[in-house]
Amino acid sequence: MRYQRSSALFSEAKKYIPGGVNSPVRAFKAVGGDPIFIKEAKGAYLYDEDGNYYIDYIASWGPLILGHAHKPVLEAVIEKAKKGTSFGIPTEIETELAKLAVSMVPNIDKIRFVNSGTEACMSAVRLARGYTARDKIIKFAGCYHGHSDSFLIQAGSGAVTFGSPNSPGVTQGTAKDTLLANYNDLDGVKALVKANQGEIAAIIIEPVAGNMGCIIPTDEFIKGLRELCTKEGILLLFDEVMTGFRLGKGGAQEALGVDADIVMFGKVIGGGLPVGAFAARTEIMSHLAPEGPVYQAGTLSGNPLAMSAGLAMLTELNTKPETFISLAEKTEFLHKGIAEVLNEKGIAHQINRFGSMISVHFCDDPVVDFESSAKGNNDTFKNYFHGMLDQGIYLPPSAFESYFLNDAISYSDLAKTIEAVSKVF
Ligand SMILES: Cc1ncc(COP(=O)(O)O)c(C=O)c1O
Ligand SMILES: N[C@H](C=O)CCC(=O)O
């Protein structure tokens, strides 16, 4: 592989953009070296500026479930763009997408579109606070809910990768209202609730975590959270920015059999364009402006291009639910193949998988929370990442991220990936 042009572009970018990137995880800091610059992508493959191509296992961090430049999505965006790109005035397509999303996801009557997952989570917490008239929230170490101040407390993803899970710039005043618990530790959450009786507005969680690698909640934990919230008048917020419309039509609520009070979406609901959304039952959503007093707004929210991409993507997923099965089967194939190679080579590892989310951790003990995820051997991870990259396999450039499969990946791509793992080790 040659990366000269990408490296030159990165040097130029660093002169004008902090760190040369517009989102930190792209910078390869956790794995070393310069990031690759992408020229174009089609189906399962990324093509870089040096003429290399890669099987893509991040799919723009989740949304491109059907692969890059998927024809129905592209055509919908192109047709829509011909009619104007933004109006700041209502359009019919916003209701069409809202109607479809509400029909696919359990427990939601109404949905509000925003422009990112960060906005969705930030607004959902404000709504929960307004609805319950309480201030505090509980979040889990290693979970990432975007870069809004209240969430940058022991955050996962890029925040932990770059060593600032509690970011400077977040005031003590804000931080004191975010209480921290450990993933899969129900007793710890119960103790926090007891110590702050009547003060907790919401528990926010990635129902299947993807920002400390992929971490699966135990049944007892996730169902226990639901019971606790119902008993204590706390709203349970599922951050489905990764899991929504990926784990199935109904996302993690459906996959885990647990009802949330507010659900947040991102990425997938915009088919790869900048979108987020949050949704709940009418009783909760009616507290939102202009119906209710909780303010939330956005000049570009419900943008027609994003709505058309989202509508095309969700329509296809809704009419072809077998896609979710196909994705899960491919992910299982990859899991088994990688595990077989690593076992044969005697490499200590754990592989976590749920649906089409999967992560490989180089450690001995099960990875069930942030602490166990952080025990992974980062030197092995770096070698693995670069060894795979050099063979044309693009993995997330940090151990604190999940892979996201897209349905354009073929079994021969998966076999090539497994073969590449074998060559690395
Ligand atoms: C679970 C989760 N929530 C929220 C976010 C924030 O979304 P965005 O980056 O679109 O602001 C992300 C990813 O970035 C995420 O993975
Ligand atoms: N883990 C994040 C989202 O899923 C990574 C994307 C980003 O922050 O750029």
Side-chain angles (χ1 to χ4, degrees):
M1 290 288 198
R2 291 168 35 244
Y3 304 110
Q4 282 92 334
R5 188 164 155 72
S6 279
S7 290
L9 289 171
F10 188 46
S11 298
E12 187 68 2
K14 280 193 282 190
K15 291 184 199 159
Y16 304 103
I17 300 172
V21 291
N22 283 307
S23 196
V25 289
R26 297 176 197 169
F28 274 26
K29 276 208 163 177
V31 290
D34 291 344
I36 53 167
F37 272 55
I38 296 304
K39 193 169 189 176
E40 59 186 301
K42 178 88 193 122
Y45 308 117
L46 296 168
Y47 300 86
D48 76 8
E49 292 280 356
D50 287 285
N52 305 307
Y53 82 98
Y54 310 81
I55 303 169
D56 181 19
Y57 283 96
I58 66 165
S60 189
W61 301 99
L64 305 171
I65 292 193
L66 302 169
H68 289 274
H70 188 63
K71 207 168 166 218
V73 176
L74 271 194
E75 282 173 357
V77 175
I78 292 165
E79 279 315 302
K80 207 47 153 181
K82 288 181 189 162
K83 296 178 179 159
T85 52
S86 179
F87 313 115
I89 301 173
T91 54
E92 186 178 3
I93 196 167
E94 292 162 71
T95 311
E96 284 177 57
L97 183 56
K99 210 166 159 180
L100 180 57
V102 164
S103 77
M104 291 171 79
V105 177
N107 298 313
I108 63 169
D109 301 320
K110 290 189 177 172
I111 186 163
R112 168 67 57 88
F113 294 111
V114 294
N115 302 292
S116 68
T118 299
E119 264 188 78
C121 294
M122 177 187 78
S123 309
V125 164
R126 188 182 308 133
L127 177 59
R129 286 177 166 146
Y131 179 79
T132 57
R134 297 173 179 180
D135 287 346
K136 294 182 182 170
I137 59 167
I138 295 179
K139 88 169 272 290
F140 294 90
C143 279
Y144 181 68
H145 305 291
H147 61 92
S148 174
D149 287 4
S150 333
F151 306 129
L152 291 178
I153 318 286
Q154 286 288 305
S157 185
V160 62
T161 303
F162 304 123
S164 48
N166 309 305
S167 174
V170 175
T171 65
Q172 294 285 338
T174 299
K176 80 172 178 16
D177 285 332
T178 301
L179 310 176
L180 197 68
N182 290 320
Y183 208 85
N184 278 323
D185 175 12
L186 184 60
D187 287 343
V189 181
K190 284 184 178 165
L192 269 182
V193 169
K194 196 165 173 204
N196 296 271
Q197 197 84 36
E199 293 183 80
I200 316 271
I203 296 179
I204 181 168
I205 185 164
E206 289 180 62
V208 172
N211 283 295
M212 42 183 163
C214 171
I215 294 190
I216 300 153
T218 64
D219 219 40
E220 183 211 355
F221 171 66
I222 201 80
K223 293 195 168 139
L225 287 183
R226 175 65 277 170
E227 274 173 34
L228 182 66
C229 285
T230 306
K231 184 165 152 252
E232 300 290 338
I234 297 169
L235 297 186
L236 181 60
L237 272 51
F238 270 12
D239 178 351
E240 297 230 35
V241 165
M242 286 176 169
T243 54
F245 307 104
R246 172 167 280 279
L247 299 185
K249 277 195 204 185
Q253 287 193 92
E254 187 181 81
L256 300 171
V258 176
D259 296 346
D261 296 305
I262 306 182
V263 188
M264 294 83 83
F265 302 104
K267 313 175 182 192
V268 190
I269 206 165
L273 270 77
V275 183
F278 59 105
R281 300 182 305 276
T282 301
E283 181 206 352
I284 297 174
M285 291 305 270
S286 62
H287 280 65
L288 208 57
E291 263 181 82
V294 178
Y295 198 70
Q296 191 283 325
T299 305
L300 294 177
S301 295
N303 173 270
L305 304 191
M307 296 293 103
S308 62
L311 188 62
M313 173 79 102
L314 259 53
T315 301
E316 189 153 337
L317 292 174
N318 193 37
T319 49
K320 292 187 195 155
E322 62 276 13
T323 307
F324 299 112
I325 297 167
S326 152
L327 277 165
E329 285 173 355
K330 287 177 182 175
T331 314
E332 186 182 0
F333 181 89
L334 183 69
H335 180 162
K336 285 187 177 154
I338 295 179
E340 203 176 320
V341 170
L342 295 179
N343 284 331
E344 232 174 66
K345 309 262 175 189
I347 308 287
H349 70 280
Q350 300 288 326
I351 301 181
N352 287 355
R353 166 173 61 90
F354 197 105
S356 52
M357 293 168 68
I358 180 170
S359 56
V360 180
H361 303 258
F362 296 105
C363 55
D364 288 308
D365 298 324
V367 174
V368 296
D369 57 12
F370 175 64
E371 202 186 333
S372 44
S373 173
K375 284 188 184 146
N377 184 325
N378 204 41
D379 288 333
T380 310
F381 182 84
K382 282 186 203 172
N383 290 339
Y384 168 62
F385 172 81
H386 279 292
M388 296 298 277
L389 188 74
D390 285 346
Q391 295 177 77
I393 316 291
Y394 193 80
L395 302 177
S398 158
F400 294 112
E401 303 286 354
S402 171
Y403 312 2
F404 300 100
L405 268 72
N406 70 74
D407 207 35
I409 293 179
S410 66
Y411 278 92
S412 88
D413 293 327
L414 295 169
K416 184 178 165 194
T417 307
I418 295 162
E419 180 64 28
V421 179
S422 178
K423 284 187 188 149
V424 171
F425 293 101

